[in-house]
Amino acid sequence: MKLLSLTLLATALLTTTAMAAPSVVASIKPVHSLVAAVMAGVGEPTLIVKGSASPHTYALRPSDAGALEAADIVFWTGHGMELFLGEALETLATGATVVELADSPGIELLPVREGGAFEPHSDGDEAEHEEHEEHGEGDMHFWLDPENAKLMVTQIATTLAEADPENATAYQANAEAELVKLDALEAELAAMLAPVADKPFIVFHDAYQYFEARFGLNLAGSVTVTPDAMPGAARIDELKARLAELDVTCVFAEPNFEPAIISAITEGTPAKSGVLDPEGGALAEGVELYPELLRGLATSLVDCLG
C-alpha cells in the first residue's frame, strides 16, 4: 500500500513538473494584462512596473532584477517606451526569450508627431525626438488600438506555445477567447465614442493617437511632447490661444503628472478638464485591466466632451 502511494505521489510530481508554466515577466500593466489572459489557468506572469508608477520615469528594483534573472520569457513593448529596461534585458535576462511586442506581425507604428500643436517646446524635447529618429522608432503607445492588442495576443500565444508545448492547447484556447472579447470591446467603444468624435480636445502628452485613429476622434494637440518635460509659460500661452482658436471642449491631465498645468491652461476659458490614464496606473493589475483601461479612456472622453 505504501509503495503504491509513493508511486502515485511520484507520478503526480512528475506530471506537475512537466506541466508547469514557464517563468514569464511583463513590463507594463497593459502588456501584463494581455499576457495574463493568454496564460489563464496555466500560470501567472510577473509585472515589473506596478501600481501607479510610470514607465517613463521608472527605476528597476532588486526584486525586478531577480525576476528578470529567473525569467524564461520577457514581454515588453520595445525600445522607446520602457527606457529603463533595455540595458537590464541584456545584462540580467540572459537566459530568457525576449519578445519586443512592437515587432509583432501586423503592427505598424505611427510616427511620433511634430509640428504645430505637437511642436517640441524645449531642448529636452528636441533631443528626445532626435533619439527616436536615430533608433527608427515610432509612437510606442500602440496597445491603445484594440486591433493591435489582437496582434499582441497572437504573438504572446505563439511565443508561449513554442516555449511550453505541453500547454500550447490552453494558450491557443485562451487567445481565441481573448480575441472574441477584444472584438466586442472595440464595437462597444465605437458606439460609446461616436457622439463625441468631432469635438476637439487636448491631452497632456501625445500618447493617444492609436486610440484616436481607431475611433475617429478629434485630438487638437498635446501639452507636452514627452511627459518628463514640463511646458514653460510660452507654451501655456500658445495652448490657451489654441483653445480659443479651435473651440476646444476639454483638456486632459494624467494621473502621474502635475495637474496644476492643466488648470493654468484652462483658466479663463470655457474648456473643461478631465483625466486620461493611458497605462492603467490607477487600475488593479490582471486580466481585466486591459478592457478596463480602454473603457476608462472612452468614459473619460464622453464625460468631458459630452
Side-chain angles (χ1 to χ4, degrees):
M1 186 69 176
K2 182 180 290 187
L3 179 60
L4 179 60
S5 298
L6 289 173
T7 301
L8 291 172
L9 176 60
T11 302
L13 288 171
L14 286 171
T15 302
T16 301
T17 302
M19 297 298 287
S23 176
V24 178
V25 172
S27 58
I28 60 175
K29 282 184 168 182
V31 170
H32 177 268
S33 179
L34 296 174
V35 174
V38 177
M39 293 186 70
V42 179
E44 294 184 7
T46 298
L47 173 63
I48 295 290
V49 184
K50 299 180 178 67
S52 60
S54 168
H56 297 285
T57 56
Y58 192 76
L60 279 176
R61 301 176 180 181
S63 58
D64 301 328
L68 291 172
E69 288 176 337
D72 298 308
I73 305 171
V74 179
F75 292 103
W76 68 319
T77 64
H79 299 280
M81 173 56 67
E82 306 96 321
L83 299 179
F84 68 91
L85 197 51
E87 185 176 338
L89 289 174
E90 294 179 3
T91 58
L92 297 174
T94 54
T97 297
V98 176
V99 180
E100 191 168 344
L101 289 169
D103 292 336
S104 299
I107 288 183
E108 295 184 7
L109 296 183
L110 298 174
V112 175
R113 292 190 280 203
E114 293 183 283
F118 303 97
E119 189 69 39
H121 55 79
S122 73
D123 292 340
D125 280 352
E126 291 167 2
E128 182 76 12
H129 278 282
E130 289 170 3
E131 181 179 345
H132 278 291
E133 291 171 0
E134 179 183 347
H135 293 287
E137 295 154 6
D139 184 336
M140 294 295 290
H141 300 86
F142 55 87
W143 67 84
L144 292 180
D145 182 347
E147 288 295 322
N148 284 341
K150 295 178 196 176
L151 299 172
M152 293 165 70
V153 164
T154 300
Q155 180 62 53
I156 291 164
T158 298
T159 302
L160 288 169
E162 289 176 352
D164 181 20
E166 291 177 321
N167 287 307
T169 300
Y171 298 136
Q172 186 59 40
N174 287 340
E176 289 174 0
E178 188 66 12
L179 294 178
V180 171
K181 292 178 183 177
L182 290 170
D183 281 335
L185 176 65
E186 185 175 337
E188 173 191 338
L189 299 183
M192 284 180 65
L193 292 164
V196 299
D198 62 338
K199 296 190 176 183
F201 63 98
I202 286 176
V203 296
F204 179 73
H205 87 288
D206 191 23
Y208 308 93
Q209 66 169 321
Y210 292 95
F211 196 80
E212 167 201 352
R214 177 56 55 196
F215 298 108
L217 303 177
N218 187 9
L219 179 57
S222 64
V223 175
T224 180
V225 178
T226 60
D228 52 353
M230 293 298 102
R235 178 64 172 173
I236 290 174
D237 289 343
E238 176 188 344
L239 288 165
K240 288 176 77 74
R242 190 164 182 81
L243 294 187
E245 174 191 348
L246 297 179
D247 192 22
V248 169
T249 304
C250 201
V251 181
F252 289 94
E254 290 182 14
N256 293 321
F257 302 100
E258 179 53 58
I261 294 169
I262 304 301
S263 299
I265 294 168
T266 58
E267 184 179 6
T269 78
K272 296 183 290 183
S273 62
V275 177
L276 295 176
D277 183 3
E279 289 138 14
L283 301 176
E285 65 187 66
V287 173
E288 294 304 318
L289 179 136
Y290 185 81
E292 288 179 8
L293 168 61
L294 266 61
R295 285 193 186 99
L297 294 180
T299 299
S300 292
L301 286 162
V302 169
D303 287 349
C304 196
L305 297 176

